[in-house]
Amino acid sequence: MTAPHSIPFIDLAAQQVRIRSAIDQAIGKVLDHGGYIMGPEVRSFEQALGTFCGAKHALGCANGTDALMLALMALGVGPGDAVFVPSFTFAATAEVVPLVGATPVFVDSDERTFNIDPASLERSIVEARLLGLRTRAVIPVDLFGLPADLLRIEALAHREGIDVICDSAQGFGGSIDGRMTGTFGRITTTSFFPAKPLGCYGDGGAVFTEDDEIARILESLRVHGKGADKYDNVRVGLNSRLDTLQAAILSVKLDVYEGEIDARNAIATRYSERLSNIADVPHVPAGYRSIWAQYTIKLNSKAERDVVQKLLDTAGVPTQVYYAAPLHQQTLYAAYPKDPAGLAVAERHASRVLSLPMHPYLLAETQEWIIDQVYDAIECARA
Ligand SMILES: *Cc1c(COP(=O)(O)O)cnc(C)c1O
């Protein structure tokens, strides 16, 4: 059987059909009032965002990378400081560290969750201190939508006197025992890049904190380090505001987001039920809610993964490899410190992962067809 129709990896068009008239209305309102920069939609979206996750302060910014940059700047991280980051993540998590003059230290991942491994973090902290670095912060990532081991990381960080910045670019809306991402660590960051679970129609991001003083600094930093008076700058900042138009679009999308997360979970459950006896399916620890930014299986080897991906491509099933190379093996980052015990798990993940089509509008019959193709491809690759 051939593909029922062209299957997108993430179907933003299907979502748009559902919300198009509300989006048009929201955009029309902004065009009417003309407050393109920091218009009223920005504040009202920030309030809704804070309410959604339970964070005291939610502030929009230009994108998820700036959000991380703003977080490091707000905490005064700079030269001589070590910032611990997982190696198995998107480059932006680590990129911001040298941007502020600090040193990224690469940490291994957990075998089952893909997220930062606390034991590896402890070894990396010892290593950074041996190298004479000041251990300042750790950036756990909620990879593929699953919250990192945030309670353990928070406890460990507290004991070691380092700050936690949660990179929830893929995890906003996830939770641990009912506590939502956005409320862990000193600062949480997220991204509204179109393909993220809560995406806008361009670039956008946000920072969250419970701390009034940090919130005040973040607000200043995103507008050129402004003081109480806009034309009295008190610190070096960025131009990193969330556009009013994007805030208007995001408000509409936030209204349907909770239901979309439920739909993603139903789809993930169906994948796991059907695929668990043939592939290594994602593990969700008890009490955790993932938002399934990606649904990622693991094959037995790189050779097998590459064959399966090729066969699926031929069959008309789009897949992605996130991420084909861990950061500590990339040209720019190879020279930075890392867990002295090595990063074998991150390396193994990179060679075995394969992400399948995942979005809240994936129809059951399309998904069943995809699952059949995955079965066929894996069986063929192993034959
Ligand atoms: C997407 C992403 C970012 C960066 O977000 P942008 O809005 O694209 O700048 C940072 N960290 C992770 C883990 C991401 O997936």
Side-chain angles (χ1 to χ4, degrees):
M1 187 179 142
T2 51
H5 51 85
S6 170
I7 295 172
F9 184 67
I10 294 176
D11 194 348
L12 293 174
Q15 183 200 48
Q16 198 187 94
V17 168
R18 177 177 172 201
I19 57 175
R20 180 61 187 257
S21 69
I23 294 267
D24 283 342
Q25 243 175 31
I27 290 174
K29 257 194 204 157
V30 177
L31 298 191
D32 286 343
H33 69 58
Y36 303 122
I37 300 293
M38 297 305 277
E41 284 81 359
V42 175
R43 272 288 176 246
S44 61
F45 172 63
E46 287 173 341
Q47 263 161 21
L49 202 60
T51 303
F52 184 89
C53 69
K56 185 167 184 196
H57 301 278
L59 297 165
C61 64
N63 56 67
T65 308
D66 273 14
L68 288 164
M69 180 83 180
L70 288 164
L72 291 173
M73 290 168 79
L75 298 177
V77 175
D81 291 344
V83 178
F84 303 91
V85 294
S87 179
F88 190 62
T89 179
F90 181 60
T93 310
E95 179 180 26
V96 292
V97 178
L99 262 174
V100 298
T103 304
V105 180
F106 291 105
V107 180
D108 207 3
S109 303
D110 180 77
E111 184 67 54
R112 300 224 291 164
T113 64
F114 297 111
N115 283 325
I116 193 166
D117 172 9
S120 174
L121 174 59
E122 288 194 83
R123 288 191 296 271
S124 304
I125 290 171
V126 173
E127 173 74 2
R129 287 180 182 151
L130 286 173
L131 293 170
L133 294 164
R134 217 166 18 199
T135 51
R136 279 299 312 277
V138 55
I139 311 183
V141 178
D142 303 330
L143 205 71
F144 304 148
L146 179 72
D149 195 350
L150 293 172
L151 297 171
R152 259 178 84 191
I153 300 284
E154 275 187 338
L156 200 166
H158 182 73
R159 212 162 57 232
E160 299 288 346
I162 66 180
D163 280 323
V164 180
I165 299 168
C166 302
D167 179 351
S168 203
Q170 302 180 13
F172 182 72
S175 61
I176 303 174
D177 297 329
R179 181 176 161 198
M180 291 182 85
T181 60
T183 66
F184 293 90
R186 293 209 73 196
I187 301 174
T188 293
T189 66
T190 196
S191 163
F192 305 125
F193 182 82
K196 308 284 182 186
L198 181 61
C200 57
Y201 291 150
D203 278 308
V207 284
F208 304 85
T209 186
E210 298 304 300
D211 187 310
D212 297 343
E213 177 61 13
I214 289 175
R216 203 181 55 76
I217 294 169
L218 287 165
E219 269 202 84
S220 161
L221 284 170
R222 72 173 170 178
V223 189
H224 307 287
K226 70 176 167 111
D229 182 305
K230 183 176 161 191
Y231 292 104
D232 179 32
N233 295 295
V234 297
R235 57 175 65 81
V236 174
L238 303 172
N239 171 6
S240 187
R241 295 165 297 229
L242 179 65
D243 289 349
T244 310
L245 277 169
Q246 299 303 344
I249 290 160
L250 283 163
S251 291
V252 174
K253 291 203 178 197
L254 187 62
D255 283 342
V256 298
Y257 191 48
E258 185 64 36
E260 289 184 340
I261 294 174
D262 288 340
R264 285 174 181 275
N265 272 284
I267 290 160
T269 300
R270 196 177 306 132
Y271 268 140
S272 290
E273 281 170 3
R274 291 281 313 276
L275 293 173
S276 62
N277 60 345
I278 194 162
D280 206 339
V281 298
H283 170 68
V284 179
Y288 281 59
R289 179 167 82 151
S290 175
I291 60 158
W292 302 102
Q294 303 295 339
Y295 184 88
T296 304
I297 60 171
K298 282 181 283 181
L299 284 309
N300 289 333
S301 66
K302 180 172 190 312
E304 183 180 287
R305 190 269 313 277
D306 291 348
V307 170
V308 168
Q309 183 174 37
K310 227 171 146 183
L311 289 169
L312 286 173
D313 181 55
T314 307
V317 178
T319 61
Q320 297 284 344
V321 172
Y322 300 120
Y323 296 92
L327 295 176
H328 72 279
Q329 292 183 325
Q330 295 187 17
T331 306
L332 171 66
Y333 297 109
Y336 287 109
K338 52 183 179 291
D339 177 352
L343 289 86
V345 179
E347 289 166 18
R348 221 160 41 238
H349 283 335
S351 65
R352 294 174 58 207
V353 288
L354 190 66
S355 299
L356 304 179
M358 166 54 83
H359 60 83
Y361 303 94
L362 185 58
L363 299 174
E365 60 263 34
T366 307
Q367 190 186 3
E368 292 295 340
W369 182 82
I370 291 169
I371 290 166
D372 289 343
Q373 305 311 306
V374 174
Y375 252 91
D376 288 354
I378 294 176
E379 275 169 0
C380 182
R382 286 175 188 167

